[in-house]
Amino acid sequence: MTSQSQGIQQLLQAEKRAKDKLEEAKKRKGKRLKQAKEEAIAEIDHYRLQREKEFRNKQTNVMGSQGNLSAKIEEQTAETIRNLTSSYHKSMESLMKKLLSTICDINPEVHPNFRHAV
């Protein structure tokens, strides 16, 4: 019986060692999965930052040219307004005199199509 109990003891010890190895393998697998997940997240973040940087560069190029364009348009608009204002001030008095003379100086005349009744 001692040899049977010794055999059983050896089987139990072998089973325990197998169980320990299995748990250790599960722990290593869990650690490796966690590490792989962290590496993937880091890689994704790096890629995202790279793409955002490229996007910002393209956006700066496009918006920069639009900013210059809008500045030019605003400058042209201000120049046009200045020209119109100066033209208004130069010709306002003569135009008012001409308008008032047209309104106030009336010369009554008979229309050429008017027929006298006989």
Side-chain angles (χ1 to χ4, degrees):
M1 282 274 193
T2 57
S3 73
Q4 278 185 342
S5 67
Q6 234 179 2
I8 292 174
Q9 287 296 326
Q10 285 178 347
L11 284 174
L12 288 174
Q13 286 175 354
E15 186 178 347
K16 187 175 187 303
R17 283 192 306 257
K19 195 177 201 183
D20 290 342
K21 284 185 179 183
L22 191 66
E23 286 179 24
E24 190 177 321
K26 284 182 181 180
K27 286 180 185 178
R28 281 195 313 259
K29 181 181 176 186
K31 285 181 184 178
R32 181 61 189 129
L33 285 173
K34 186 176 179 181
Q35 181 184 7
K37 184 177 179 181
E38 289 172 357
E39 289 173 0
I41 289 172
E43 189 175 334
I44 289 170
D45 288 341
H46 175 69
Y47 181 74
R48 181 181 296 127
L49 289 174
Q50 180 184 2
R51 296 300 278 175
E52 285 177 359
K53 184 178 177 182
E54 290 174 10
F55 174 73
R56 276 189 248 112
N57 287 339
K58 287 181 181 179
Q59 188 177 26
T60 302
N61 291 340
V62 170
M63 295 304 286
S65 64
Q66 286 181 351
N68 294 340
L69 188 61
S70 67
K72 287 180 184 178
I73 290 172
E74 287 180 21
E75 185 179 318
Q76 289 175 351
T77 303
E79 182 66 28
T80 304
I81 289 172
R82 282 193 298 270
N83 290 340
L84 289 173
T85 304
S86 68
S87 174
Y88 166 77
H89 289 297
K90 286 179 186 177
S91 61
M92 182 180 78
E93 190 172 333
S94 64
L95 185 63
M96 288 300 289
K97 285 180 182 179
K98 188 174 184 180
L99 183 63
L100 285 174
S101 70
T102 303
I103 292 172
C104 295
D105 298 339
I106 299 173
N107 294 328
E109 296 176 2
V110 177
H111 196 275
N113 292 337
F114 179 74
R115 293 187 187 166
H116 287 23
V118 181

